[in-house]
Amino acid sequence: MGVHSVITINIDKAKAIAHDARRTARSAEFAPLDIKATIPSEATTAEAARQVIRDKYAAMQTAINAATTVEQIKAALP
């Protein structure tokens, strides 16, 4: 006779944690571009780079929201 333990994962909480990690990673990528976006000679290039980051993390957000397992959530993160 052994002790049986079952771990139950709350997918909604796992998604919330994943979204926090996604936001943190996105902010880190945006940081160097935030200053460049305020420099007139670099603003256009910086904004284009910022849009690439926005698109990347929007796709990640969609994948996290659609996930039904922890494995899918982990696969969606960078």
Side-chain angles (χ1 to χ4, degrees):
M1 290 188 215
V3 176
H4 297 281
S5 45
V6 177
I7 297 173
T8 303
I9 297 173
N10 183 324
I11 286 292
D12 292 330
K13 286 185 181 180
K15 287 180 181 183
I17 292 167
H19 282 306
D20 287 342
R22 176 187 56 80
R23 286 183 199 101
T24 300
R26 182 178 186 249
S27 292
E29 285 190 46
F30 263 127
L33 298 173
D34 288 342
I35 295 171
K36 288 185 179 186
T38 63
I39 302 169
S41 63
E42 296 182 27
T44 303
T45 304
E47 189 53 40
R50 287 165 54 102
Q51 188 58 50
V52 169
I53 294 169
R54 282 187 201 100
D55 293 343
K56 171 184 168 182
Y57 285 95
M60 194 180 301
Q61 180 175 351
T62 301
I64 292 169
N65 287 339
T68 57
T69 66
V70 173
E71 291 75 21
Q72 291 172 333
I73 293 171
K74 286 181 183 178
L77 292 173

